[in-house]
Amino acid sequence: DVKVTQSSRYLVKRTGEKVFLECVQDMDHENMFWYRQDPGLGLRLIYFSYDVKMKEKGDIPEGYSVSREKKERFSLILESASTNQTSMYLCASSPTLTGFTEAFFGQGTRLTVV
Amino acid sequence: DQQVKQNSPSLSVQEGRISILNCDYTNSMFDYFLWYKKYPAEGPTFLISISSIKDKNEDGRFTVFLNKSAKHLSLHIVPSQPGDSAVYFCAASEAGTYKYIFGTGTRLKVLA
């Protein structure tokens, strides 16, 4: 079974802190994604990566950066956390470049910024 | 601009009856469509998909229908069970773009 693991289920951080969310997948997938889920807004793409050290902005990249130094690991970085970044963060991976396959999601990280 | 829309935020259905969840899209370049199910405090899990060369795909109790001319897809669950109560997201992808665009979700409640 494909496994996508996010390092934390719940996090509470203070405004202005630098926050790292880590994600690891164990199926040698090419693509990895970071989404956030908010009520009434669905899943919105923050960043994705189609190869090591490659990244592309999604629909809402402002206030975030990412790092992919190894194929299995994709990190989301909140440079200076703000209360409007309180959300459920979801990491996903998929095996191909064509999109004709499903993405596999981690269990999510509920981040609260106070 | 919302490229994938789920216009019904919620739906309630009696156990044993059919649940029909709808999704509309605006981008005619989308060629692969997926449905995910999500329980609270968990990540979404893949349910069923359909490529644009088909108009129907069936997997057990779940059937997805695609109407390309109307840019509309639907998920039918028959018979509905209380364990189906969750939020359902439709998603779309365009070959070569890598990414999946999700709708806003529909919360399904199956009443026992």
Side-chain angles (χ1 to χ4, degrees):
Chain A
D1 276 355
V2 174
K3 194 161 186 185
V4 179
T5 304
Q6 294 180 229
S7 53
S8 304
R9 291 296 297 270
Y10 300 95
L11 275 179
V12 180
K13 296 291 181 181
R14 295 197 178 277
T15 301
E17 274 192 78
K18 190 168 186 175
V19 181
F20 293 85
L21 302 183
E22 307 286 347
C23 176
V24 176
Q25 51 97 359
D26 65 359
M27 284 300 290
D28 201 37
H29 284 174
E30 305 292 337
N31 306 328
M32 295 189 75
F33 309 85
W34 277 106
Y35 289 87
R36 62 178 280 179
Q37 183 199 358
D38 299 288
L41 298 176
L43 275 67
R44 293 180 293 165
L45 182 63
I46 304 170
Y47 266 98
F48 66 101
S49 168
Y50 51 90
D51 201 352
V52 175
K53 296 190 187 296
M54 305 303 290
K55 60 187 178 186
E56 285 201 20
K57 294 179 180 179
D59 300 318
I60 50 164
E62 297 79 18
Y64 303 94
S65 62
V66 290
S67 172
R68 192 164 180 204
E69 297 295 319
K70 293 184 178 181
K71 192 174 185 180
E72 68 270 18
R73 186 178 296 271
F74 193 36
S75 303
L76 179 70
I77 304 154
L78 285 67
E79 298 292 342
S80 177
S82 64
T83 54
N84 63 13
Q85 292 178 310
T86 291
S87 186
M88 169 71 91
Y89 290 88
L90 295 159
C91 175
S93 70
S94 71
T96 74
L97 302 181
T98 64
F100 276 71
T101 184
E102 66 267 31
F104 298 85
F105 281 84
Q107 77 277 29
T109 297
R110 171 69 66 183
L111 173 67
T112 302
V113 182
V114 298
Chain B
D1 180 31
Q2 192 79 24
Q3 296 186 70
V4 178
K5 300 177 186 179
Q6 294 176 257
N7 292 317
S8 298
S10 63
L11 175 69
S12 291
V13 171
Q14 285 296 130
E15 182 179 6
R17 306 294 290 268
I18 185 171
S19 295
I20 300 176
L21 295 94
N22 294 304
C23 181
D24 297 296
Y25 61 96
T26 57
N27 186 346
S28 58
M29 299 300 292
F30 287 146
D31 48 14
Y32 189 61
F33 303 89
L34 311 91
W35 283 94
Y36 282 82
K37 174 180 178 179
K38 187 180 184 298
Y39 293 117
E42 293 184 14
T45 54
F46 170 74
L47 265 180
I48 192 168
S49 63
I50 188 167
S51 74
S52 58
I53 61 173
K54 294 186 174 182
D55 54 21
K56 177 183 174 181
N57 189 26
E58 197 169 350
D59 184 1
R61 296 186 298 116
F62 302 92
T63 303
V64 56
F65 295 92
L66 175 62
N67 182 334
K68 287 186 291 293
S69 61
K71 294 191 180 69
H72 177 83
L73 66 155
S74 61
L75 174 69
H76 292 208
I77 306 173
V78 183
S80 301
Q81 299 173 353
D84 296 330
S85 298
V87 178
Y88 289 78
F89 291 98
C90 67
S93 179
E94 178 185 345
T97 65
Y98 315 123
K99 57 186 182 179
Y100 304 82
I101 307 298
F102 282 80
T104 52
T106 296
R107 182 177 301 279
L108 173 66
K109 189 170 184 180
V110 179
L111 307 169

